[in-house]
Amino acid sequence: MEVKVVSNSEAGSQLAYEMIRHALEDGAEVFGLATGSTPERVYQLLSESDVDFSQSISVNLDEYVGLPADHPQSYHHYMQKKLFNAKPFKHSFIPNGMNTEAEEIENYNQILEENPVDLQLLGIGTNGHIAFNEPGTPFDILTHKVELTESTIQANKRYFESEADVPRYAYSMGLASIMKADKIILLAFGESKAQAIKDLVTAQAVDPLIPSTVLINHPDVTIIADEAAAKLI
Ligand code: F6R
């Protein structure tokens, strides 16, 4: 695991942008993408660049259960607005929040099998979650339906009109799905991520209560943290 501490989120986003750009130039075809506030600037930089994803595939980490693709808070909508409108991919896959659990698990696992991820971009939750793999999620799990924890609902309610509108479930790539990526970049910006970054960077062994620690067994992980997120390491 390589940890790159940068002065602020702008520098971190620039670095991630460069790494994605180089991966594409080096032949990466399948990009694993995350939503949330952390990668927004990276997507903006990509959108404003001359990067061409028209021959690339994207697979997203997760989607809320029960939100249709055109719902303004769906991750489909987020990706469309933040990246895909400016930079269309040959094909973009995001879990379908309107499918039943059984349908979507089968569907998304097949998509991931047919489109192995070359480069996976990740954020991290304040509780150490990656994608929607909350503390206690088994490390060997593939796509699954997740009940969001209270801390994740609290963190995500800012995007909804009221807390009651935040979906309680999501479909998420599992920890084992994420570990299949060739290369992983995890971004963490801001003081609220400091404990999660400390827990990950100082982990001596995987800890089921800190899902991100699964990454210590991956051969190619780069953590890009700004000084605020790195302040406890
Ligand atoms: C989003 C995702 C989540 C976020 C995490 C951090 O697709 O999988 O794990 O990366 O919740 O969210 P932000 O970036 O909003 O702090």
Side-chain angles (χ1 to χ4, degrees):
M1 225 162 39
E2 189 182 1
V3 184
K4 292 181 190 271
V5 179
V6 292
S7 51
N8 52 35
S9 61
E10 178 61 24
S13 300
Q14 292 278 353
L15 183 56
Y17 159 74
E18 290 296 340
M19 289 176 75
I20 293 169
R21 199 189 166 88
H22 287 143
L24 183 66
E25 285 164 8
D26 288 349
E29 290 172 0
V30 182
F31 292 83
L33 302 177
T35 58
S37 55
T38 309
E40 280 186 16
R41 178 69 180 140
V42 180
Y43 296 150
Q44 193 184 6
L45 290 167
L46 288 167
S47 296
E48 291 166 0
S49 74
D50 60 357
V51 164
D52 178 10
F53 285 123
S54 64
Q55 299 309 309
S56 309
I57 305 281
S58 69
V59 285
N60 261 76
L61 290 170
D62 39 25
E63 178 60 285
Y64 290 117
V65 172
L67 296 194
D70 61 356
H71 188 286
Q73 261 69 46
S74 74
Y75 288 167
H76 277 82
H77 191 260
Y78 170 107
M79 289 308 304
Q80 205 58 50
K81 209 169 62 179
K82 306 282 181 200
L83 185 63
F84 299 157
N85 284 341
K87 295 289 169 191
F89 283 65
K90 185 165 81 181
H91 205 103
S92 286
F93 297 102
I94 304 179
N96 182 346
M98 300 308 285
N99 269 349
T100 66
E101 181 176 357
E103 276 169 353
E104 196 47 29
I105 286 174
E106 192 187 335
N107 177 42
Y108 218 60
N109 283 340
Q110 191 178 337
I111 286 169
L112 292 173
E113 206 160 297
E114 288 167 3
N115 299 279
V117 173
D118 294 307
L119 176 63
Q120 177 67 57
L121 191 62
L122 292 179
I124 187 166
T126 52
N127 63 359
H129 74 219
I130 51 175
F132 272 128
N133 295 286
E134 301 284 15
T137 306
F139 287 123
D140 59 356
I141 204 161
L142 297 172
T143 305
H144 60 130
K145 183 178 175 181
V146 181
E147 183 169 10
L148 305 190
T149 62
E150 195 48 39
S151 82
T152 301
I153 291 168
Q154 290 303 322
N156 290 4
K157 72 178 183 193
R158 64 191 192 276
Y159 298 111
F160 292 83
E161 268 182 30
S162 77
E163 189 182 325
D165 294 330
V166 186
R168 266 36 189 178
Y169 294 90
Y171 293 132
S172 178
M173 273 194 206
L175 294 168
S177 330
I178 293 170
M179 288 292 280
K180 289 183 185 174
D182 262 7
K183 183 176 181 61
I184 295 176
I185 301 174
L186 183 145
L187 299 178
F189 302 143
E191 206 177 332
S192 67
K193 304 293 170 71
Q195 186 62 45
I197 288 302
K198 181 184 177 198
D199 290 345
L200 169 56
V201 170
T202 60
Q204 299 296 318
V206 293
D207 178 349
L209 295 180
I210 307 172
S212 63
T213 58
V214 73
L215 299 176
I216 70 176
N217 289 329
H218 190 283
D220 190 349
V221 176
T222 303
I223 297 171
I224 301 177
D226 67 2
E227 280 173 5
K231 76 173 208 180
L232 299 178
I233 57 174

